[in-house]
Amino acid sequence: MTAFARRARASAGRMHPELSLVSYTLLGHLEESGGCRATDLASHYALDKSTVSRQVAALERAGLIERRLDPEDHRVQVLHLTEAGARILAQVTESRRIAFRERLEGWPEEDLERFAAYLVHYNAASEPPVRKAAAG
C-alpha cells in the first residue's frame, strides 16, 4: 500500500506539476459534490482544517477553484471548480487513466477481473472512525 501511495503521489506531480495528489483529490471531490465548504472537505478526508485551508488557498491562487455564497445561507461560502479547474482535472484524470491502462497492459483477463474485484471490495470497506481528543 505504501508503494501504491508513493506511486500515486509521484504520478500526480508528473501529470501536472502544480497539482499535488491532495489538490487533485480535493478538486475531484468538488466536481463530484458540485461544490462544498472547506470544513466539509476537512471532515470528509479527516484532514486538519489548516491543511485544507492551505490547499484551498493554493487552488484559489492558481485559479482552479472559487468561493461562492451559498444561496440558502449567505453566511456560508461554498467552493466550486472554475472552468480552468475543471479543464485541468479532466486532463489529469485522462493522463491517470492512460497511465493505468499502460501499467495493466498485458495482464491476463482473469487477473484484471480479480484486481478490479479486490479494489471494489477495498473501497467498499467502511472507514475507521476518526478519534477525537478527549476534552480535559
Side-chain angles (χ1 to χ4, degrees):
M1 290 304 293
T2 301
F4 185 78
R6 282 186 189 138
R7 201 172 289 124
R9 280 192 298 273
S11 68
R14 283 191 306 272
M15 291 177 207
H16 194 280
E18 299 154 23
L19 202 58
S20 71
L21 182 59
V22 173
S23 295
Y24 174 77
T25 303
L26 297 181
L27 289 176
H29 185 79
L30 290 175
E31 180 182 58
E32 285 177 24
S33 66
C36 67
R37 299 174 304 164
T39 55
D40 296 331
L41 287 172
S43 175
H44 182 78
Y45 290 106
L47 294 170
D48 185 73
K49 289 177 187 177
S50 64
T51 300
V52 171
S53 180
R54 283 190 300 276
Q55 291 290 328
V56 164
L59 291 169
E60 279 184 296
R61 279 192 305 276
L64 304 179
I65 64 172
E66 64 187 3
R67 295 175 191 264
R68 297 183 201 154
L69 290 177
D70 185 329
E72 296 176 18
D73 184 350
H74 291 317
R75 297 171 296 170
V76 175
Q77 292 186 340
V78 179
L79 303 171
H80 291 275
L81 289 179
T82 61
E83 222 175 275
R87 191 171 43 254
I88 285 178
L89 181 62
Q91 289 170 353
V92 173
T93 298
E94 183 58 24
S95 295
R96 290 175 65 100
R97 283 189 182 126
I98 291 168
F100 282 127
R101 278 189 211 111
E102 288 172 356
R103 268 189 97 63
L104 299 173
E105 191 174 57
W107 281 33
E109 188 68 29
E110 60 193 35
D111 286 353
L112 289 171
E113 289 174 8
R114 203 171 18 251
F115 182 59
Y118 291 145
L119 287 173
V120 167
H121 182 67
Y122 178 80
N123 288 327
S126 62
E127 294 285 328
V130 177
R131 287 192 243 175
K132 299 195 180 205

